[in-house]
Amino acid sequence: MSIDELYNGTEHVQNKSRVHLGEQDLICMSNGSGSNSTCTIFAGLGISLSMPILMMTIGVVGNVLALLVLCSSRREAQARRTVFFVMLAGLAWNDLAAQLTVSPMAIVTYVNNLQWVGETPLCRYHGVMMVSFGLVIPLIVSCMSCETFIAIRFSYFYARHITRRKAQLTFLACWTVTATFTALPFVGFGSYERQYPGT
């Protein structure tokens, strides 16, 4: 079968074109200048509305359950004062916030046939949220790993110097680094752009 027989038409919408090839769609996104564009066969990637909904549902339910377990723990009150407990609760809250602020916009875009429903301000907001939570959560996990390493390897130092207050300051430091990084496109370093598949 030739490409002419497969070709059913092309649909152009805002830097994105969709070529209908039989049962498959070839999606091409460009940066507007035509010099940079990527094309992917849409049907072969399993991209569908069910995936972001499933991911958001699992993320929200998982984090809510984690917070409920942490809050309803019947262990001695001292356990709730540990640095690790504070960091674990903070991680769960941050991940829950990420699910609630990032996923709905992606779901709306999938519902709208992968056409972005907002203009540039919403795109920038979505970009800031994605980069913020995409950076701060690994930073928090790294801090938790360092805290555990210090507690095991340097237990005397840990007992004397690592406190809940310092754990809270660590969260503040993680968010300060993240806020600085996400603000760079607003002062001329880089930019927030829609990426494939446009969500």
Side-chain angles (χ1 to χ4, degrees):
M1 184 178 289
S2 68
I3 192 70
D4 293 329
E5 291 173 320
L6 289 173
Y7 176 78
N8 293 328
T10 303
E11 169 189 340
H12 294 278
V13 182
Q14 294 182 352
N15 301 336
K16 186 189 317 185
S17 63
R18 179 182 304 222
V19 179
H20 303 290
L21 302 171
E23 294 181 358
Q24 294 183 329
D25 285 351
L26 180 69
I27 303 293
C28 297
M29 289 194 67
S30 69
N31 63 0
S33 64
S35 59
N36 253 349
S37 63
T38 56
C39 297
T40 308
I41 292 184
F42 184 70
L45 295 177
I47 296 175
S48 67
L49 177 61
S50 59
M51 188 54 65
I53 291 175
L54 181 64
M55 289 174 62
M56 179 181 175
T57 303
I58 291 173
V60 169
V61 170
N63 284 301
V64 168
L65 286 175
L67 289 168
L68 288 174
V69 168
L70 288 172
C71 292
S72 65
S73 175
R74 296 185 179 274
R75 295 178 183 174
E76 52 192 52
Q78 187 68 23
R80 294 191 182 190
R81 297 194 186 104
T82 63
V83 173
F84 188 78
F85 180 91
V86 171
M87 298 189 89
L88 189 59
L91 177 64
W93 278 111
N94 275 280
D95 199 37
L96 179 62
Q99 294 293 334
L100 295 175
T101 57
V102 172
S103 297
M105 283 176 277
I107 291 171
V108 168
T109 306
Y110 274 96
V111 169
N112 198 38
N113 198 24
L114 293 181
Q115 304 303 317
W116 186 250
V117 294
E119 298 299 326
T120 302
L122 184 61
C123 182
R124 287 181 180 160
Y125 166 78
H126 188 57
V128 167
M129 290 295 103
M130 286 188 70
V131 173
S132 294
F133 288 110
L135 180 61
V136 79
I137 290 173
L139 282 176
I140 293 170
V141 171
S142 298
C143 291
M144 291 173 70
S145 300
C146 291
E147 183 265 343
T148 304
F149 173 78
I150 293 170
I152 293 171
R153 185 69 178 85
F154 306 102
S155 54
Y156 182 71
F157 174 85
Y158 181 88
R160 292 195 56 174
H161 297 286
I162 307 299
T163 62
R164 290 182 66 205
R165 176 73 175 156
K166 289 180 180 173
Q168 293 166 348
L169 290 174
T170 301
F171 273 105
L172 181 61
C174 288
W175 271 107
T176 301
V177 169
T178 299
T180 302
F181 186 79
T182 55
L184 291 177
F186 297 105
V187 293
F189 295 95
S191 63
Y192 291 109
E193 302 288 341
R194 290 197 306 132
Q195 303 296 321
Y196 178 84
T199 58

